[in-house]
Amino acid sequence: MNESSIVIEHLGKKYQDTTALEDFTLQVGKGELFGLLGPNGAGKTTSINILCGLVKPTTGTATVCGYDVLKESAKVKELIGVCVQETAIYPYLTGVENVQLFGNLHAMDKAGLNARRNMLITKMGLTEDAKRRAGKYSGGMKRRLSLILALINDPQIAFLDEPTVAMDPQSRHAVWDFLKELKTEEKTIILTTHYMEEAEELCDRVGIIDHGKLIALGTPKELIAKNQVNNLEEVFLKLTGRTIREEA
Amino acid sequence: MKLQRIAALTKKELKKTIREPAVLFMIFLFPIIFVFAFGASFGGVGSSQTVTYHIGVVNMDHGSSVNASQTFLAALTDTKIINVHVYADNQTAQNDLSQGNVQAVMIIPSDFSQSLASYQAAPDNPAQWTNTTVSLYSDQGSLVATQAIPPIIQQTLTAMAGNNQQTSSPFQMQTASLAEVKTTSALDFIAPGMFTFASIFLIMMVAQSFTQDRENGMMKRMRITPTTPTEFMASQVISYMGIALIQAALVFAMTYALGFRPSVGISAYVFAFMLVMIFSVSNVGFGLITATISKSAGAATGLSFLFVMPQLFLGTFVGASLSSGAQVAGKFVPSYYVTNALTSLFLRGATINSPAILLDFAIMSVSCVAILTVGVALYAKYYKV
């Protein structure tokens, strides 16, 4: 593994009586596309929220590019881009205005912002609709716009929390192509998904998380081979006795 | 703190105001419709409650053997409606009138006792009377004061003559306006409250905006950017101050179109607009408190009335005949001080640097900052910004 972009050590998070994350330890290398897999409520979003500085862990530590997520969260926020699980866009702004706003929140210079805005809008196939109000977009277009907002600041590390959920196949493949391109730029990407084929297609390594615990870690091929099954879906079934889309 | 972020967020907030039909209606159209409806149809203020009016008296009566003015003042006090405050000179009394400390000033002339004596000596012979004039200056910022006080004094003067059946007496009462002589309409009395009124509904808008952004994940997304809480809150305050300014301009345009023409200079208008802008800060604070206790945008709409209604009813009709309890309660809402200052400014003819206006301004400013601080602290504690 290259130099580590993310180092997580014995991370735990409890919400009153519920354990969302337990003794979670992981390192993600620079330029790696790491998949965090698991059913709803497994602890994927909690992990990302801790790494973004949104949630304080109950135990353990985490660093992003060497910065402690608790003590140096301002520095961490300058280096990351996050595509939140919700389709969080301002419906009364146009697509371009949404992107422009978040570029300004990252204090980007005007020329750099305009260039990156145009590039991302083109790559995500939103050029024709860029000046329409985002509230009028289809679900897939909103997700693509949400992804652009996460990446407008050209982050060193991108946290993509279920970025392709509810997307049509065409949009999903457009996103996949873009993520593959990001890998070539040495960007570190943490991708959460419960689409196993997405993880197999994109991820260098995956971690399977269930009931807040990391239960498997490796490349998709390693995990498939180790468990003597045909795909990651079956890996999860073998390890937990459930399919990934069943409620935990 | 980066101005780039504050400017971007402020621009976003203003676009929301213009582009969201519900917000546009509530913030801009509703106050205009309200002003028009009230301005066009408001017919006066009535009240069945017993109230006390405070009047200042400058007694210049030189009567020595029989001091009729003392009898007159005692008779006024006996009405239980008039509370007399005696002043040594007219200037001091007029100052207190302009500050709203008394609702009228009455000047008892030097020949008052002489006039009463002449009447009592020859009640049936007006040619023998020494006619005199009691001057009365009413608070032009109070509809009730201008309508209720003169008849009470007139009746007491008539009773002084000793014959209620007789309509003629040597006492004349001359009412004078503190400001320039003009006809004061019902619209004039409610106009200062209208300026305040428009801004109050920002509470609902702020509460809805924060809860909506929380519900759809925008607040979370915002927190992931390097934007600091200070930058975010600064953008909110600036946005809503700007909106309040536009509201005040629209309300002024509408009241002007309906005939509101206060005899004040441009500085008074600038000061009035500034008051309304600062007042909007408290509404952002109340909006944040509402957003803190609301689980959803729908709940925020309803709960915002907890703050909208007191501000509305206790603080925007200062010149009206509110009950004494309501008048006391009004002093606990910032809108009271805005309306009172605007009333002093537009109707009582007080200057910007007069003590009453400065006091209202100071109390309002401090309370607005305090409410905003509480709002930010509560919201940050439970939801983070």
Side-chain angles (χ1 to χ4, degrees):
Chain A
M1 191 191 297
N2 297 331
E3 168 194 355
S4 291
S5 281
I6 296 170
V7 178
I8 299 169
E9 290 181 339
H10 308 294
L11 214 53
K13 179 66 186 175
K14 280 189 176 180
Y15 295 102
Q16 293 172 332
D17 296 336
T18 309
T19 301
L21 207 58
E22 189 177 344
D23 198 26
F24 184 36
T25 296
L26 178 71
Q27 290 190 13
V28 179
K30 187 180 178 187
E32 187 177 6
L33 202 163
F34 184 87
L36 203 50
L37 315 181
N40 292 334
K44 305 187 299 288
T45 300
T46 300
S47 311
I48 286 192
N49 285 345
I50 291 172
L51 292 171
C52 298
L54 289 174
V55 172
K56 284 184 182 174
T58 313
T59 58
T61 59
T63 61
V64 170
C65 293
Y67 296 105
D68 189 294
V69 296
L70 269 181
K71 296 171 187 164
E72 297 164 294
S73 68
K75 196 68 191 171
V76 169
K77 285 174 184 175
E78 288 175 9
L79 299 170
I80 63 171
V82 184
C83 183
V84 294
Q85 202 172 61
E86 302 91 341
T87 309
I89 53 173
Y90 286 115
Y92 46 85
L93 297 182
T94 66
V96 171
E97 287 168 344
N98 267 290
V99 181
Q100 200 81 28
L101 169 64
F102 278 85
N104 281 316
L105 295 184
H106 284 283
M108 295 174 74
D109 67 88
K110 195 175 179 181
L113 171 56
N114 287 344
R116 187 155 177 87
R117 178 197 72 193
N118 294 340
M119 183 273 285
L120 288 170
I121 285 174
T122 305
K123 297 252 185 205
M124 286 289 120
L126 289 175
T127 309
E128 285 183 15
D129 300 288
K131 292 185 178 172
R132 282 175 61 208
R133 301 259 179 100
K136 305 279 185 191
Y137 284 8
S138 67
M141 289 164 74
K142 286 177 182 172
R143 292 300 300 172
R144 279 183 276 157
L145 177 59
S146 182
L147 187 59
I148 294 174
L149 301 187
L151 301 172
I152 184 63
N153 60 323
D154 197 13
Q156 295 298 306
I157 300 175
F159 295 98
L160 310 180
D161 196 358
E162 311 257 11
T164 59
V165 74
M167 266 190 192
D168 57 272
Q170 191 185 353
S171 297
R172 184 174 298 166
H173 281 94
V175 171
W176 287 7
D177 290 342
F178 183 66
L179 294 182
K180 286 173 188 172
E181 196 178 313
L182 280 180
K183 273 178 67 175
T184 65
E185 297 171 14
E186 285 290 289
K187 304 290 185 190
T188 305
I189 301 169
I190 304 290
L191 174 75
T192 78
T193 181
H194 53 243
Y195 296 123
M196 292 300 176
E197 70 278 16
E198 185 167 279
E200 280 184 53
E201 171 82 19
L202 296 172
C203 297
D204 299 317
R205 284 194 306 151
V206 296
I208 297 177
I209 191 166
D210 190 35
H211 294 301
K213 289 181 182 173
L214 188 66
I215 57 172
L217 179 67
T219 66
K221 281 181 183 173
E222 282 172 358
L223 292 179
I224 290 167
K226 186 179 174 185
N227 290 282
Q228 298 177 314
V229 291
N230 295 317
N231 52 47
L232 284 176
E233 186 84 47
E234 290 178 7
V235 172
F236 186 83
L237 180 64
K238 188 167 182 182
L239 291 174
T240 66
R242 291 178 283 117
T243 66
I244 200 163
R245 288 182 180 80
E246 288 175 24
E247 290 302 317
Chain B
M1 193 186 299
K2 282 199 179 289
L3 287 178
Q4 183 181 0
R5 292 189 186 118
I6 296 172
L9 287 168
T10 303
K11 200 170 160 185
K12 183 267 295 181
E13 208 62 42
L14 295 177
K15 279 181 180 167
K16 177 184 180 176
T17 307
I18 294 164
R19 292 179 183 177
E20 296 260 276
V23 178
L24 187 67
F25 174 80
M26 189 53 80
I27 288 187
F28 295 130
L29 298 183
F30 180 60
I32 291 173
I33 292 168
F34 186 86
V35 171
F36 179 77
F38 262 64
S41 61
F42 197 75
V45 178
S47 171
S48 59
Q49 298 171 32
T50 301
V51 290
T52 303
Y53 303 111
H54 297 266
I55 68 165
V57 173
V58 182
N59 192 353
M60 301 169 76
D61 186 20
H62 293 320
S64 52
S65 55
V66 178
N67 194 324
S69 58
Q70 293 302 329
T71 309
F72 173 47
L73 293 179
L76 281 174
T77 304
D78 285 346
T79 63
K80 309 286 188 196
I81 301 171
I82 300 289
N83 197 336
V84 172
H85 303 260
V86 178
Y87 288 86
D89 61 88
N90 189 23
Q91 186 59 47
T92 311
Q94 295 291 353
N95 281 345
D96 266 14
L97 179 59
S98 70
Q99 312 300 323
N101 296 332
V102 291
Q103 289 156 298
V105 167
M106 181 171 65
I107 314 292
I108 300 176
S110 57
D111 56 357
F112 187 80
S113 291
Q114 184 188 343
S115 179
L116 180 64
S118 70
Y119 172 77
Q120 287 173 335
D124 299 322
N125 186 4
Q128 298 295 313
W129 298 347
T130 301
N131 291 318
T132 191
T133 302
V134 172
S135 299
L136 184 70
Y137 299 81
S138 297
D139 177 1
Q140 296 301 299
S142 169
L143 177 62
V144 176
T146 55
Q147 291 188 345
I149 295 174
I152 297 168
I153 292 175
Q154 187 66 64
Q155 282 173 19
T156 310
L157 279 172
T158 305
M160 283 278 295
N163 184 358
N164 287 334
Q165 304 299 317
Q166 190 167 333
T167 53
S168 63
S169 79
F171 306 120
Q172 302 298 316
M173 191 178 71
Q174 181 185 64
T175 56
S177 168
L178 181 66
E180 291 176 17
V181 175
K182 66 183 183 74
T183 304
T184 307
S185 70
L187 176 67
D188 292 321
F189 290 104
I190 63 170
M194 292 293 179
F195 280 81
T196 316
F197 168 88
S199 174
I200 289 172
F201 282 88
L202 288 180
I203 296 172
M204 190 186 290
M205 295 300 104
V206 173
Q208 283 179 338
S209 177
F210 273 76
T211 45
Q212 272 169 0
D213 281 359
R214 209 167 62 212
E215 281 176 333
N216 62 24
M218 288 316 299
M219 204 59 85
K220 181 178 171 184
R221 173 153 248 163
M222 195 66 67
R223 288 174 55 207
I224 295 163
T225 71
T227 309
T228 65
T230 308
E231 287 166 342
F232 182 75
M233 288 315 304
S235 74
Q236 296 296 303
V237 170
I238 292 168
S239 303
Y240 286 105
M241 283 177 109
I243 291 168
L245 184 65
I246 298 169
Q247 285 180 316
L250 289 172
V251 168
F252 175 73
M254 181 54 77
T255 53
Y256 189 87
L258 290 169
F260 180 58
R261 303 280 197 282
S263 308
V264 294
I266 187 75
S267 58
Y269 287 109
V270 171
F271 186 74
F273 279 46
M274 191 180 75
L275 277 173
V276 174
M277 281 173 71
I278 295 172
F279 172 58
S280 68
V281 171
S282 74
N283 295 324
V284 174
F286 281 132
L288 283 170
I289 295 169
T290 307
T292 305
I293 59 177
S294 304
K295 296 286 183 196
S296 66
T301 305
L303 288 171
S304 64
F305 279 94
L306 287 174
F307 300 105
V308 168
M309 299 308 267
Q311 291 257 74
L312 200 63
F313 286 106
L314 300 176
T316 62
F317 298 101
V318 172
S321 178
L322 294 174
S323 69
S324 56
Q327 285 178 22
V328 172
K331 294 187 177 176
F332 290 94
V333 295
S335 55
Y336 171 89
Y337 296 96
V338 187
T339 308
N340 199 42
L342 292 175
T343 302
S344 297
L345 197 63
F346 287 148
L347 302 182
R348 294 178 186 135
T351 56
I352 292 170
N353 57 3
S354 63
I357 287 187
L358 291 178
L359 183 64
D360 283 336
F361 179 70
I363 294 172
M364 183 205 66
S365 300
V366 170
S367 60
C368 286
V369 171
I371 291 163
L372 179 67
T373 306
V374 170
V376 170
L378 280 176
Y379 195 84
K381 183 176 179 186
Y382 292 99
Y383 294 105
K384 300 247 181 0
V385 281

